[in-house]
Amino acid sequence: MSEERKTWMGTLATAKPAALEAAVDTLGALPGFSWLRRPEVGGVMVPGRMGGTGAAFNLGEITVTRCALKLESGEVGHAYVQGRDKAHAERAALCDALMQTGRADDVRRLVLTPLAAARAEARKARAARAAATKVEFFTMVRGEDA
């Protein structure tokens, strides 16, 4: 899988479902498709590492929904999204398939770019909230000047 595809699939999977729905609605008429795998809910084990570098351990399970579809023109789209939202998975798979067609520029402009911008803004806001709680510690030296 190309790095570009990994990026757009990550953007689709982590998008807020309502934002993805609104963005997909801007695409207008969507092509027909058939299911290769209808949306289904399951669980996956999430690995963790202490400090990001330690030995891997099983952190716990999360719920995911996955699906695969094939456009009438033959392109195949896949999606894995966190949670139980089958419509979110369907929209993500549809966008994945459309990114492999001549409508890729429209999907990038109308769906992926706005979703990526919203994600970046949310991260920026979260970082600002975290920065507001930062405490600066300092040490005063007692006795002689160092």
Side-chain angles (χ1 to χ4, degrees), residues 97-137:
L98 287 171
M99 282 298 291
Q100 301 169 57
T101 69
R103 294 186 68 184
D105 289 337
D106 289 339
V107 175
R108 189 174 286 108
R109 180 174 47 84
L110 298 171
V111 178
L112 297 176
T113 300
L115 291 176
R119 183 178 181 190
E121 189 61 36
R123 282 184 174 177
K124 185 177 174 183
R126 186 173 60 231
R129 285 192 309 272
T133 65
K134 183 176 180 181
V135 178
E136 295 288 341
F137 291 95

Coordinates of all heavy atoms in Angstrom, one line a residue, residues 97-137:
A97 N -12.3 3.9 -2.5 CA -12.4 3.4 -3.9 C -12.4 4.5 -4.9 O -11.8 4.5 -6.0 CB -13.7 2.6 -4.0
L98 N -13.1 5.6 -4.6 CA -13.2 6.8 -5.5 C -11.8 7.4 -5.7 O -11.6 8.0 -6.7 CB -14.2 7.8 -4.9 CG -15.7 7.5 -5.0 CD1 -16.5 8.5 -4.3 CD2 -16.1 7.4 -6.5
M99 N -11.0 7.3 -4.7 CA -9.6 7.9 -4.8 C -8.8 7.1 -5.8 O -7.7 7.6 -6.3 CB -8.9 7.9 -3.5 CG -9.3 9.0 -2.5 SD -8.9 10.6 -3.2 CE -7.1 10.6 -3.1
Q100 N -9.3 6.0 -6.3 CA -8.6 5.2 -7.3 C -9.2 5.4 -8.7 O -8.9 4.7 -9.6 CB -8.6 3.7 -6.9 CG -8.0 3.5 -5.5 CD -8.3 2.1 -5.0 OE1 -8.0 1.1 -5.7 NE2 -8.8 2.0 -3.9
T101 N -10.1 6.4 -8.8 CA -10.8 6.7 -10.1 C -10.4 8.1 -10.6 O -9.6 8.8 -9.9 CB -12.3 6.6 -9.9 OG1 -12.7 7.7 -9.1 CG2 -12.8 5.3 -9.3
G102 N -11.0 8.5 -11.6 CA -10.8 9.8 -12.1 C -11.4 10.9 -11.3 O -11.2 12.1 -11.5
R103 N -12.2 10.5 -10.2 CA -12.7 11.5 -9.3 C -11.8 11.8 -8.1 O -12.2 12.5 -7.2 CB -14.1 11.1 -8.8 CG -15.1 11.0 -9.9 CD -16.5 10.7 -9.4 NE -17.1 11.8 -8.6 CZ -18.2 11.7 -8.0 NH1 -19.0 10.7 -8.1 NH2 -18.7 12.8 -7.3
A104 N -10.6 11.3 -8.2 CA -9.7 11.4 -7.0 C -9.5 12.9 -6.7 O -9.4 13.2 -5.5 CB -8.4 10.7 -7.3
D105 N -9.3 13.8 -7.6 CA -9.1 15.2 -7.3 C -10.3 15.8 -6.6 O -10.1 16.6 -5.7 CB -8.8 16.0 -8.6 CG -7.4 15.6 -9.2 OD1 -6.5 15.2 -8.4 OD2 -7.2 15.9 -10.4
D106 N -11.5 15.5 -7.0 CA -12.7 16.0 -6.3 C -12.7 15.4 -4.9 O -13.0 16.2 -3.9 CB -14.0 15.5 -7.0 CG -14.2 16.3 -8.4 OD1 -13.5 17.3 -8.5 OD2 -14.9 15.7 -9.2
V107 N -12.4 14.2 -4.7 CA -12.5 13.6 -3.3 C -11.4 14.2 -2.5 O -11.7 14.6 -1.3 CB -12.3 12.0 -3.4 CG1 -12.2 11.5 -2.0 CG2 -13.4 11.4 -4.2
R108 N -10.2 14.5 -3.0 CA -9.1 15.1 -2.3 C -9.5 16.5 -1.9 O -9.4 16.9 -0.7 CB -7.9 15.1 -3.1 CG -6.6 15.6 -2.4 CD -5.4 15.5 -3.2 NE -5.0 14.1 -3.3 CZ -5.1 13.3 -4.4 NH1 -5.5 13.9 -5.5 NH2 -4.7 12.1 -4.4
R109 N -10.1 17.3 -2.8 CA -10.5 18.7 -2.6 C -11.7 18.8 -1.7 O -11.7 19.7 -0.8 CB -10.7 19.4 -3.9 CG -11.1 20.8 -3.8 CD -11.2 21.5 -5.2 NE -11.9 20.7 -6.2 CZ -13.3 20.7 -6.3 NH1 -14.0 21.5 -5.5 NH2 -13.9 20.0 -7.2
L110 N -12.7 18.0 -1.9 CA -14.0 18.2 -1.1 C -14.1 17.4 0.1 O -14.9 17.7 1.0 CB -15.1 17.9 -2.1 CG -15.3 18.7 -3.3 CD1 -16.4 18.2 -4.2 CD2 -15.6 20.2 -2.9
V111 N -13.3 16.3 0.2 CA -13.4 15.4 1.4 C -12.1 15.4 2.2 O -12.1 15.8 3.4 CB -13.8 14.0 1.0 CG1 -13.9 13.1 2.2 CG2 -15.1 14.0 0.2
L112 N -11.0 15.0 1.6 CA -9.8 14.7 2.4 C -9.2 16.0 2.9 O -8.8 16.1 4.1 CB -8.8 14.0 1.5 CG -9.2 12.6 1.1 CD1 -8.2 11.9 0.2 CD2 -9.5 11.7 2.3
T113 N -9.1 17.0 2.1 CA -8.4 18.3 2.6 C -9.2 18.9 3.7 O -8.6 19.3 4.8 CB -8.2 19.3 1.4 OG1 -7.4 18.6 0.4 CG2 -7.6 20.6 1.9
P114 N -10.5 19.1 3.6 CA -11.3 19.6 4.8 C -11.2 18.8 6.0 O -11.1 19.3 7.2 CB -12.7 19.7 4.3 CG -12.6 19.7 2.8 CD -11.4 18.9 2.5
L115 N -11.2 17.4 5.9 CA -11.1 16.6 7.1 C -9.8 16.6 7.7 O -9.6 16.7 8.9 CB -11.4 15.1 6.7 CG -12.9 14.8 6.3 CD1 -13.0 13.4 5.8 CD2 -13.9 15.1 7.4
A116 N -8.7 16.7 6.9 CA -7.3 16.8 7.4 C -7.2 18.2 8.1 O -6.5 18.2 9.2 CB -6.3 16.7 6.3
A117 N -7.7 19.2 7.6 CA -7.6 20.5 8.2 C -8.4 20.5 9.6 O -7.9 21.1 10.5 CB -8.2 21.6 7.3
A118 N -9.5 19.9 9.6 CA -10.3 19.8 10.9 C -9.5 19.0 11.9 O -9.5 19.4 13.1 CB -11.7 19.2 10.6
R119 N -8.9 18.0 11.5 CA -8.1 17.1 12.4 C -6.9 17.9 12.9 O -6.6 17.9 14.1 CB -7.6 15.9 11.7 CG -6.8 14.9 12.5 CD -6.4 13.7 11.7 NE -5.7 12.8 12.5 CZ -5.1 11.7 12.0 NH1 -5.1 11.5 10.7 NH2 -4.4 10.9 12.8
A120 N -6.2 18.7 12.0 CA -5.1 19.5 12.5 C -5.5 20.6 13.5 O -4.8 20.9 14.4 CB -4.4 20.1 11.3
E121 N -6.7 21.2 13.2 CA -7.2 22.2 14.1 C -7.5 21.6 15.5 O -7.3 22.3 16.5 CB -8.4 22.9 13.5 CG -8.9 24.1 14.2 CD -7.9 25.2 14.3 OE1 -7.1 25.4 13.3 OE2 -7.8 25.9 15.3
A122 N -8.1 20.5 15.5 CA -8.5 19.8 16.7 C -7.2 19.5 17.5 O -7.1 19.7 18.8 CB -9.3 18.5 16.5
R123 N -6.2 19.0 16.8 CA -4.9 18.7 17.5 C -4.3 20.0 18.1 O -3.7 20.0 19.2 CB -3.9 18.1 16.6 CG -4.2 16.6 16.3 CD -3.1 16.0 15.4 NE -3.3 14.6 15.3 CZ -2.6 13.8 14.6 NH1 -1.6 14.3 13.9 NH2 -2.8 12.5 14.5
K124 N -4.3 21.1 17.3 CA -3.8 22.4 17.8 C -4.5 22.8 19.0 O -3.9 23.3 20.0 CB -3.9 23.4 16.6 CG -3.3 24.7 16.9 CD -3.4 25.6 15.7 CE -2.9 27.0 15.9 NZ -3.1 27.8 14.8
A125 N -5.9 22.7 19.0 CA -6.7 23.1 20.2 C -6.3 22.3 21.4 O -6.2 22.8 22.5 CB -8.1 23.1 19.8
R126 N -6.2 21.0 21.2 CA -5.9 20.1 22.3 C -4.5 20.4 22.9 O -4.3 20.5 24.1 CB -5.9 18.6 21.8 CG -5.7 17.7 23.0 CD -6.0 16.2 22.6 NE -5.0 15.8 21.6 CZ -5.4 15.2 20.4 NH1 -6.7 15.0 20.2 NH2 -4.5 14.9 19.5
A127 N -3.5 20.7 22.0 CA -2.2 21.1 22.4 C -2.2 22.4 23.2 O -1.5 22.6 24.2 CB -1.2 21.2 21.2
A128 N -3.0 23.4 22.8 CA -3.2 24.6 23.5 C -3.8 24.4 24.9 O -3.3 25.1 25.8 CB -4.0 25.6 22.7
R129 N -4.8 23.6 25.0 CA -5.3 23.3 26.3 C -4.3 22.6 27.2 O -4.2 22.9 28.4 CB -6.6 22.4 26.2 CG -7.8 23.1 25.6 CD -9.1 22.3 25.8 NE -9.0 20.9 25.3 CZ -9.2 20.6 24.0 NH1 -9.6 21.5 23.1 NH2 -9.1 19.3 23.6
A130 N -3.5 21.7 26.7 CA -2.5 21.0 27.5 C -1.4 22.0 27.9 O -0.9 22.0 29.0 CB -1.9 19.9 26.7
A131 N -1.0 22.9 27.0 CA 0.0 23.9 27.3 C -0.4 24.9 28.4 O 0.4 25.3 29.2 CB 0.4 24.7 26.0
A132 N -1.7 25.1 28.5 CA -2.2 26.0 29.5 C -2.0 25.4 30.9 O -2.1 26.1 31.9 CB -3.7 26.3 29.3
T133 N -1.9 24.1 31.0 CA -1.7 23.5 32.3 C -0.3 23.2 32.7 O 0.0 22.7 33.7 CB -2.5 22.1 32.3 OG1 -1.9 21.2 31.4 CG2 -3.9 22.3 32.0
K134 N 0.6 23.6 31.8 CA 2.1 23.4 32.0 C 2.6 24.2 33.2 O 2.3 25.3 33.4 CB 2.9 23.7 30.8 CG 4.3 23.4 30.9 CD 5.1 23.7 29.6 CE 6.5 23.4 29.7 NZ 7.2 23.8 28.5
V135 N 3.3 23.5 34.1 CA 3.9 24.1 35.2 C 5.4 24.2 35.0 O 6.1 23.3 34.7 CB 3.6 23.3 36.5 CG1 4.2 24.0 37.7 CG2 2.1 23.2 36.7
E136 N 5.9 25.4 35.3 CA 7.4 25.6 35.2 C 8.0 25.5 36.6 O 7.6 26.2 37.5 CB 7.7 27.0 34.6 CG 7.2 27.2 33.2 CD 8.1 26.5 32.1 OE1 9.2 26.1 32.5 OE2 7.6 26.3 31.0
F137 N 9.0 24.6 36.7 CA 9.7 24.5 38.0 C 11.0 25.1 37.8 O 11.7 25.1 36.8 CB 9.8 23.0 38.3 CG 8.5 22.4 38.7 CD1 7.8 21.7 37.7 CD2 8.0 22.5 40.0 CE1 6.5 21.1 38.0 CE2 6.7 21.9 40.3 CZ 6.0 21.2 39.3

